[in-house]
Amino acid sequence: MVIHPIEPVFNSESRVLILGSFPSVKSREAMFFYGHPQNRFWKVIAALYGEQVPGTVEEKRALLLRNHIAVWDVIAQCDIEGSADSTIKNVVANDLSVILDKADIKAIFVNGKTAEKYYKKYIEGKINRKAICLPSTSPANAAWGIERLLEEWRVILEY
């Protein structure tokens, strides 16, 4: 059983919540979200908000908070082999009230189909809120280039 080691990023001004499935090995090593150098998450968020791509954890956290974005994952703990979403089992979901009770979240987004699957299975019914599924920024989603990702992810700017 692997326990999610990263605290959520949010504050009382967060308006958008973006949920991944579970941190990759690289993210767990970096102790921060989207730590794999090939993941396009930071490039997408920076481009959408007209900012420089952040390099450090502090810069990444600041980028999110400055733009009223909260980030966490659907899964609190699970059995997983490496970073392979297809091997996830024995899921325990995160309790989103940690964020939802303290921030006026206008929209919840999930980063990819795996996050969507587990959100629908473990969270949606409990909190009675739908999430909007965005195409995964993972390097495993190679079919989606950065321009296509930006087109789809632009929806977060509406909130």
Side-chain angles (χ1 to χ4, degrees), residues 6-18 32-33 60-62 64-66 68-72 95-105:
I6 309 166
E7 291 296 314
V9 175
F10 73 99
N11 64 20
S12 62
E13 295 178 18
S14 300
R15 299 292 170 258
V16 167
L17 172 56
I18 300 171
F32 205 66
F33 302 95
K60 291 172 180 178
R61 186 184 312 280
L64 295 171
L65 296 178
R66 193 168 45 249
H68 312 290
I69 299 170
V71 170
W72 208 12
D95 177 2
L96 299 188
S97 68
V98 168
I99 297 171
L100 299 177
D101 289 350
K102 294 177 181 77
D104 185 19
I105 299 296

Side-chain angles (χ1 to χ4, degrees), residues 125-137:
K126 282 185 184 172
I127 67 170
N128 203 26
R129 286 185 73 169
K130 297 234 181 262
I132 299 165
C133 185
L134 296 171
S136 175
T137 57

Side-chain angles (χ1 to χ4, degrees), residues 15-113:
R15 299 292 170 258
V16 167
L17 172 56
I18 300 171
L19 299 169
S21 54
F22 191 76
S24 68
V25 170
K26 290 286 188 196
S27 295
R28 296 192 305 264
E29 287 170 0
M31 287 300 292
F32 205 66
F33 302 95
Y34 307 104
H36 192 291
Q38 300 306 312
N39 193 302
R40 282 86 45 94
F41 180 83
W42 297 109
K43 287 179 183 167
V44 167
I45 297 300
L48 289 176
Y49 290 93
E51 298 203 30
Q52 294 291 326
V53 178
T56 66
V57 167
E58 294 75 23
E59 290 169 347
K60 291 172 180 178
R61 186 184 312 280
L63 171 67
L64 295 171
L65 296 178
R66 193 168 45 249
N67 291 293
H68 312 290
I69 299 170
V71 170
W72 208 12
D73 289 304
V74 172
I75 300 170
Q77 61 185 48
C78 64
D79 289 322
I80 185 170
E81 294 173 25
S83 300
D85 284 347
S86 62
T87 67
I88 291 172
K89 52 186 188 260
N90 301 318
V91 168
V92 176
N94 271 317
D95 177 2
L96 299 188
S97 68
V98 168
I99 297 171
L100 299 177
D101 289 350
K102 294 177 181 77
D104 185 19
I105 299 296
K106 303 293 186 195
I108 299 172
F109 295 92
V110 287
N111 187 350
K113 293 289 185 192

